[in-house]
Amino acid sequence: MQLKEYLMQTAAQIHALEAKKKQAIAADNKQQYLDCVREKAAILSNLYENAQKQDVSAVTNAKNILAALHGFSNSAKQALAVNSPWFMSELLYPEDYQENEPNNLDKLIENL
């Protein structure tokens, strides 16, 4: 699979989880919220390893892209290690994030 295709599939999973997380917040369903942020972190913790298995031949800046994905994975692993729902929830979002803006993975995909 091409790297971009893999990343787009992963981004779709993350967006679905974010939507489910918002529903959990609206319904005051703490367990569903926790399940969503943990699943998001789990997916991201494996992002770099899985990305390395994809075809990067069409990616001119593959080394830089993989380095960014490595950073995303490391942050997710740290969030899981400290078991912080807030940290897990904030993965991929810059400090100045505004609602409906692309997250860091979306921005990375746009540059492929």
Side-chain angles (χ1 to χ4, degrees):
M1 178 183 299
Q2 292 290 325
L3 178 62
K4 185 173 184 175
E5 181 182 355
Y6 165 71
L7 293 177
M8 289 173 66
Q9 287 178 1
T10 302
Q13 287 179 295
I14 298 298
H15 288 291
L17 285 168
E18 290 292 341
K20 192 174 175 182
K21 179 186 82 172
K22 286 180 185 178
Q23 291 173 345
I25 291 168
D28 198 27
N29 186 333
K30 184 176 180 178
Q31 188 58 52
Q32 184 179 14
Y33 171 84
L34 292 173
D35 292 345
C36 289
V37 298
R38 284 189 181 110
E39 186 174 350
K40 173 185 174 182
I43 290 168
L44 292 173
S45 71
N46 294 312
L47 183 65
Y48 174 68
E49 182 179 325
N50 291 335
Q52 287 183 301
K53 298 173 186 173
Q54 308 309 314
D55 181 2
V56 297
S57 61
V59 180
T60 56
N61 54 349
K63 186 175 180 179
N64 292 338
I65 298 295
L66 289 172
L69 297 175
H70 191 253
F72 296 162
S73 288
N74 281 343
S75 292
K77 288 175 184 175
Q78 290 173 343
L80 288 166
V82 297
N83 197 28
S84 169
W86 179 84
F87 191 5
M88 292 177 212
S89 178
E90 295 301 306
L91 292 168
L92 298 179
Y93 295 105
E95 287 182 30
D96 60 348
Y97 178 77
Q98 298 293 319
E99 189 72 27
N100 298 320
E101 287 183 353
N103 65 39
N104 289 337
L105 180 58
D106 295 328
K107 290 176 185 176
L108 187 129
I109 293 168
E110 289 173 6
N111 291 323
L112 289 178

